[in-house]
């Protein structure tokens, strides 16, 4: 479910077009009309990439995202392609480049280039983090002159969690040298988000209107689980058991997490001479943002009132109408678990993170802020239109300009629908222990690959399938590929977490 093509996402003016001299009314009308034309919605900008990704055509998706990175960063597409998006000439802070690099990271993962995937994710993380950490409600509601699409992309809270999760997953496939640090960063980021004072800084007295959406967020278990997995791989059994215990609590008792905890805590026995095959299933096409409409709630109006004092009473009537807002559109509402065969054993995946649900919950929690900002922006533009109308001596002309300005500027409103579109709908996991040896890993006869299992070690397999009706792509960690087996170094428990 993708944004339908629209004439605009944010108001923009074609700089090569200039209004001819003439009556001020015609001049103003032309400028207002120009504001409503010439821009494509974000959904239409990324449509070619999104369609290719959702179809499992990763080469085409990679070519499409290269073009978007080139346009946003000003770097030739050949340089983007040849450097795998890692050229120093590509500035992630330019336009929406950081967001496009997240999409590029996923295509590189799908194509088996784990190094590039990790580097791209890190560049995006390091660009988006300062924007995310330094935001505050005062600035959020105070800069209302332009649509949100003009602002730097910050990333939804859940995207920051999944970004670090993908870093840990990609690093496990790449040997796991930095997976410990990435896994720690997942829960550090989650605690930072849950402890955010966003909104609280507006409370200068006991009667102030405040609202902290993060207080409504539910903890997700993926960070604690992946930390437990890494600690298990590094033979840190006590620490692994504690991490799995947290994951078990936050996941609501997922069976595969219980199995992991039982093994690490000693409640169940691990057979000698066996190794763990760990499966991560990135299933379905994840949630995207599309433009919708929302009524103005009492809470949104109360939040908006903080800034409305500078606009006198201009926003009163406007606040009673619906405003355009980004809403979460679920593409794959249900991702069936998959059954895998390894040798003579079968195992079925269970959901660890429902990205759809988390995205929807967080969007609902933040909606009062989004609506309040839309109300303020509409009020600001109405004020600008009234100022323009007051410049006319003829009262009728002034009223016409005011009406025309309100209509056109309201029509120019576009919700900010930028979002990370290559995310899965769900992240599911499965575990199975097998005697040391080489095996054929099979997914329902539609996909298979060879893997090597070693005693006391963990073999990581990622199943990637954005299109639930198409064959999956199987990705095996670099130390467990039968066709390219490398002796993995023995992992020792680190004295301190690395800082990648």
């Amino acid at each position: 479910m993708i944004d339908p093509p629209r004439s605009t996402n944010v108001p923009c003016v074609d700089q090569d077009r200039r209004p001819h001299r003439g009556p001020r009314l015609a001049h103003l009308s032309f400028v207002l009309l120009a504001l409503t034309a010439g821009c494509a919605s974000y959904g239409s900008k990324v449509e070619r990439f999104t369609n290719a990704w959702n179809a499992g055509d990763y080469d085409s998706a990679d070519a499409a995202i290269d073009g978007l990175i080139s346009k946003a960063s000003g770097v030739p597409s050949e340089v983007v392609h040849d450097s795998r998006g890692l050229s120093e000439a590509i500035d992630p802070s330019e336009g929406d480049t950081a967001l496009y690099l997240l999409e590029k990271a996923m295509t590189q993962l799908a194509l088996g280039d784990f190094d590039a995937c990790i580097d791209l994710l890190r560049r995006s993380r390091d660009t988006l983090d300062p924007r995310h950490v330094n935001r505050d409600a005062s600035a959020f509601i105070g800069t209302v002159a332009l649509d949100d699409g003009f602002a730097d992309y910050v990333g939804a809270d859940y995207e920051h969690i999944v970004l670090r999760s993908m870093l840990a997953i990609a690093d496990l496939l790449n040997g796991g040298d930095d997976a410990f640090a990435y896994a720690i960063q997942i829960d550090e980021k989650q605690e930072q988000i849950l402890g955010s004072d966003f909104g609280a800084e507006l409370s200068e007295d006991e009667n102030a209107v405040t609202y902290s959406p993060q207080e409504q967020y539910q903890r997700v278990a993926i960070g604690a689980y992946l930390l437990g997995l890494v600690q298990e791989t590094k033979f840190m059994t006590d620490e692994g058991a504690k991490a799995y215990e947290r994951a078990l609590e936050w996941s609501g008792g997922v069976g595969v997490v219980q199995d992991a905890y039982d093994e690490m805590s000693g409640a169940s026995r691990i057979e000698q001479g066996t190794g763990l095959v760990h499966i991560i299933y990135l299933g379905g096409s994840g949630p995207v943002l599309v433009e919708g409409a929302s009524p103005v709630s009492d809470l949104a109006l109360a939040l908006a009132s903080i800034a409305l004092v500078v606009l006198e009473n201009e926003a009163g009537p406007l606040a009673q109408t619906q405003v355009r807002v980004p809403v979460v559109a679920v593409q794959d509402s249900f991702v069936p678990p998959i059954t895998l065969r390894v040798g003579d054993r079968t195992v079925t995946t269970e959901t660890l993170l429902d990205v759809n649900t988390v995205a929807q919950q967080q969007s609902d929690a933040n909606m009062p802020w989004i609506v309040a900002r839309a109300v303020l922006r509409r009020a600001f533009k109405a004020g600008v239109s009234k100022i323009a109308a007051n410049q006319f001596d003829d009262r009728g002309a002034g009223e016409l300009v005011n009406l025309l300005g309100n209509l056109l500027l309201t029509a120019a409103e576009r919700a900010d629908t930028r979002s990370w579109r290559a995310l899965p709908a769900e992240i599911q996991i499965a575990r199975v222990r097998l005697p040391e040896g080489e095996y054929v890993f099979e997914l329902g006869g539609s996909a298979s690959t060879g893997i090597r299992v070693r005693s006391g070690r963990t073999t990581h397999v990622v199943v990637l399938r954005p299109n639930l009706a198409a064959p999956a792509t199987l990705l095996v960690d670099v130390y467990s590929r039968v066709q390219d087996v490398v002796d993995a170094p023995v992992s020792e428990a680190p004295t301190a977490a690395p800082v990648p």
Side-chain angles (χ1 to χ4, degrees), residues 95-110:
D96 290 330
T97 301
L99 177 54
Y100 296 148
L101 291 180
L102 292 176
E103 311 290 16
K104 176 76 172 177
M106 296 301 288
T107 64
Q108 294 305 293
L109 176 69

Side-chain angles (χ1 to χ4, degrees), residues 322-475:
Q322 288 194 332
V323 293
R324 295 182 180 181
V325 296
V327 296
V328 172
V330 172
Q331 300 183 93
D332 288 317
S333 59
F334 174 66
V335 179
I338 54 174
T339 299
L340 309 134
R341 176 177 294 276
V342 189
D344 61 353
R345 300 283 300 278
T346 59
V347 62
T348 301
T349 58
E350 296 178 73
T351 300
L352 179 65
L353 177 63
D354 186 333
V355 181
N356 287 330
T357 298
V358 173
Q360 185 64 68
Q361 289 176 345
Q362 293 187 5
S363 175
D364 290 345
N366 284 281
M367 191 56 67
W369 279 118
I370 297 170
V371 173
R373 183 174 168 82
V375 169
L376 287 170
R377 187 163 51 244
R378 182 174 292 182
F380 175 85
K381 292 179 178 180
V384 171
S385 179
K386 183 175 181 179
I387 291 172
N390 289 337
Q391 302 304 309
F392 289 85
D393 297 330
D394 183 275
R395 182 178 179 181
E399 291 178 351
L400 177 61
V401 167
N402 190 29
L403 176 61
L404 180 63
N406 278 324
L407 289 174
L408 291 178
L409 290 172
T410 300
E413 283 285 316
R414 287 293 181 265
D416 182 9
T417 58
R418 291 174 295 179
S419 59
W420 189 359
R421 302 206 165 207
L423 290 181
E426 292 187 15
I427 298 179
Q428 301 181 7
I429 54 173
R431 299 162 56 98
V432 60
R433 291 195 179 273
L434 295 169
E436 185 171 74
E438 294 183 1
Y439 296 88
V440 176
F441 183 98
E442 297 178 277
L443 172 58
S446 62
S448 64
T449 188
I451 62 171
R452 170 168 290 184
V453 177
R454 284 174 294 177
S455 176
R457 306 295 182 188
T458 301
T459 296
H460 299 282
V461 181
V462 170
V463 181
L464 177 63
R465 187 164 65 174
N467 184 347
L468 297 176
T473 297
L474 304 181
L475 305 167

Side-chain angles (χ1 to χ4, degrees), residues 87-352:
S87 169
E88 290 299 322
I90 301 172
D91 183 356
S93 66
E94 285 289 328
D96 290 330
T97 301
L99 177 54
Y100 296 148
L101 291 180
L102 292 176
E103 311 290 16
K104 176 76 172 177
M106 296 301 288
T107 64
Q108 294 305 293
L109 176 69
L111 296 171
D113 191 341
F114 307 146
D115 278 324
C117 174
I118 293 167
D119 288 344
L120 290 163
L121 289 171
R122 288 179 58 175
R123 293 190 73 183
S124 291
R125 177 200 63 186
D126 294 345
T127 300
L128 296 177
D129 262 8
R131 302 174 183 175
H132 189 251
V133 171
N134 296 329
R135 66 177 181 163
D136 60 72
S138 298
F140 182 73
I141 67 170
T143 53
V144 297
L146 298 174
D147 288 343
D148 289 340
F150 273 117
D152 288 335
Y153 184 71
V154 175
D157 290 332
Y158 75 90
E159 290 178 336
H160 285 266
I161 298 298
V162 179
L163 192 161
R164 287 157 174 78
S165 302
M166 292 308 305
L167 269 169
I169 291 168
D171 197 78
L172 288 172
L173 289 172
N174 206 38
D177 291 342
D178 294 323
F180 186 86
Y182 294 137
I184 289 176
Q185 290 171 20
I186 299 169
D187 275 347
E188 286 180 342
K189 190 64 178 179
Q190 176 164 239
E191 293 308 311
Q192 179 191 87
I193 292 170
L194 293 173
S196 171
D197 62 354
F198 182 82
E201 75 273 13
L202 297 175
S203 181
E204 297 181 355
D205 59 69
E206 61 181 11
N207 296 318
V209 178
T210 61
Y211 178 68
S212 300
Q214 287 86 350
E215 293 178 354
Q216 300 183 39
Y217 291 3
Q218 298 295 315
R219 276 187 168 84
V220 296
I222 189 167
Y225 177 82
L226 289 175
L227 180 58
L229 177 66
V230 173
Q231 290 169 324
E232 177 181 358
T233 301
K234 295 180 178 294
F235 310 109
M236 301 164 65
T237 54
D238 290 343
E239 293 85 349
K242 292 176 182 177
Y244 282 142
E245 186 175 23
R246 291 195 303 274
L248 189 61
E249 177 186 354
W250 296 343
S251 69
V254 174
V256 67
V257 180
Q258 181 71 62
D259 292 343
Y261 171 71
D262 289 345
E263 289 184 346
M264 285 299 96
S265 64
S268 62
R269 178 172 167 270
I270 300 175
E271 293 185 25
Q272 293 294 319
T274 63
L276 174 66
V277 179
H278 187 266
I279 300 103
I280 299 176
Y281 175 35
L282 307 178
S285 295
V288 299
L289 294 180
V290 299
E291 187 172 276
S294 172
V296 180
S297 67
D298 290 341
L299 176 57
L301 194 56
L303 293 170
S305 69
I306 297 170
L308 286 179
V309 291
V310 301
L311 300 169
E312 298 179 350
N313 63 351
E314 289 297 334
L318 295 174
Q320 306 309 313
T321 62
Q322 288 194 332
V323 293
R324 295 182 180 181
V325 296
V327 296
V328 172
V330 172
Q331 300 183 93
D332 288 317
S333 59
F334 174 66
V335 179
I338 54 174
T339 299
L340 309 134
R341 176 177 294 276
V342 189
D344 61 353
R345 300 283 300 278
T346 59
V347 62
T348 301
T349 58
E350 296 178 73
T351 300
L352 179 65

